[in-house]
Amino acid sequence: MLELIDICFTRDHKKILDHVSLQLEREKFYAITGPNGSGKSTLAKIIMGIEKPDSGRILLDGVDITEKTIDERARLGFGFAFQQPVCFKGITVYDLLKIATGKEIDKKEACSILSKVGLCALDYIDREVNSSLSGGELKRIEIATVLAREPKLAIFDEPEAGIDLWSFRSLNRVFQQLGRNNSGITLVISHQERILNIADIIILMEEGHITKMDTRENMVSCIFQEAKCCSGGEMNG
């Protein structure tokens, strides 16, 4: 179990997270949603160790990991996929997968990993991870690197950002499979109804607070109904 206790975070004199507490259980798929500026991505970065909270504690199976770095959390089994995937000039997809797994794998194993995210391995295995790849291709390759590590906690920050409809459909199938086969904790930051519809638990954030948290069945309809009723209340970001 991952537990956040009374997490606060301020940037440029603005309170981004205001006493956030949360428990995430293994074998569960969580989706965090909410309007722009509600603190979703910041919360994900604090869990990963990219940002450090001003106060509060983070526990993993009862052990305090609040002061652990991003590298230390990665070694504990945390994986993170950014909104905008990073390009690596001179590094091939095969190289990146070997780095992600932390061991020497052959191309057959690498191809098996790529197939999980719907990529034809022979077309990608020797390509460089650079701007010659589309946003959807980069996104799927980054997700493949997270899955390759078989993480205890996998965090995906707005995986739909900047990709076309066809790539998004492929990604959604990846998350559906992940939800079915997940033995750790999966946490996705998203405003897309298709992703919310495959989550076990949906967490709604507004103005730095968790305002609602319940099962998918109890959350989806009310979230989008409220969004339609609110002027300017876009469910994105």
Side-chain angles (χ1 to χ4, degrees):
M1 176 186 289
L2 183 75
E3 186 174 7
L4 281 66
I5 304 172
D6 213 24
I7 297 293
C8 294
F9 181 80
T10 301
R11 175 177 286 163
D12 298 328
H13 307 292
K14 180 182 177 181
K15 189 163 284 188
I16 308 299
L17 297 175
D18 189 7
H19 299 282
V20 172
S21 295
L22 179 64
Q23 290 186 350
L24 304 176
E25 299 178 357
R26 296 189 191 279
E27 300 185 7
K28 291 287 180 67
F29 187 122
Y30 295 87
I32 299 182
T33 193
N36 282 338
S38 56
K40 306 183 300 296
S41 292
T42 300
L43 182 62
K45 290 175 181 177
I46 282 177
I47 292 172
M48 188 65 215
I50 299 168
E51 299 280 10
K52 184 177 178 181
D54 300 328
S55 61
R57 294 191 300 151
I58 302 172
L59 306 180
L60 178 64
D61 296 329
V63 178
D64 195 324
I65 63 167
T66 312
E67 298 301 321
K68 289 193 179 296
T69 66
I70 184 172
D71 290 337
E72 289 172 324
R73 294 186 199 195
R75 287 193 288 272
L76 288 173
F78 287 30
F80 192 99
F82 291 88
Q83 283 188 33
Q84 299 299 327
V86 180
C87 292
F88 299 91
K89 186 177 180 180
I91 295 181
T92 67
V93 173
Y94 180 40
D95 294 331
L96 193 61
L97 290 173
K98 287 192 290 186
I99 292 169
T101 59
K103 61 183 180 181
E104 193 64 33
I105 59 173
D106 59 30
K107 287 194 174 182
K108 184 178 179 181
E109 291 174 291
C111 288
S112 176
I113 295 168
L114 287 176
S115 69
K116 292 179 181 179
V117 295
L119 293 177
C120 180
L122 293 177
D123 294 337
Y124 293 94
I125 198 72
D126 293 318
R127 288 184 66 177
E128 286 192 14
V129 186
N130 57 29
S131 57
S132 70
L133 295 165
S134 71
E137 289 169 329
L138 286 169
K139 189 79 75 169
R140 280 189 270 178
I141 289 166
E142 184 181 35
I143 290 173
T145 65
V146 174
L147 299 180
R149 301 186 64 249
E150 298 180 347
K152 293 179 180 178
L153 169 65
I155 305 170
F156 302 93
D157 190 3
E158 295 197 29
E160 71 274 10
I163 64 172
D164 56 56
L165 177 61
W166 290 270
S167 294
F168 175 67
R169 285 173 176 166
S170 296
L171 284 180
N172 203 51
R173 286 194 290 270
V174 172
F175 287 121
Q176 285 177 315
Q177 184 177 3
L178 185 61
R180 289 193 296 266
N181 302 325
N182 180 33
S183 60
I185 300 168
T186 301
L187 180 64
V188 180
I189 312 299
S190 181
H191 64 274
Q192 285 288 341
E193 188 170 3
R194 289 185 182 182
I195 290 180
L196 300 186
N197 272 321
I198 58 176
D200 296 309
I201 303 292
I202 297 176
I203 300 161
L204 178 63
M205 290 193 68
E206 298 176 283
E207 298 181 347
H209 299 273
I210 293 175
T211 54
K212 293 181 182 179
M213 178 175 173
D214 207 337
T215 62
R216 172 186 66 246
E217 292 80 6
N218 291 335
M219 289 288 285
V220 169
S221 59
C222 72
I223 286 175
F224 285 94
Q225 187 174 13
E226 286 179 12
K228 290 177 183 176
C229 293
C230 295
S231 58
E234 296 181 1
M235 291 291 293
N236 54 359

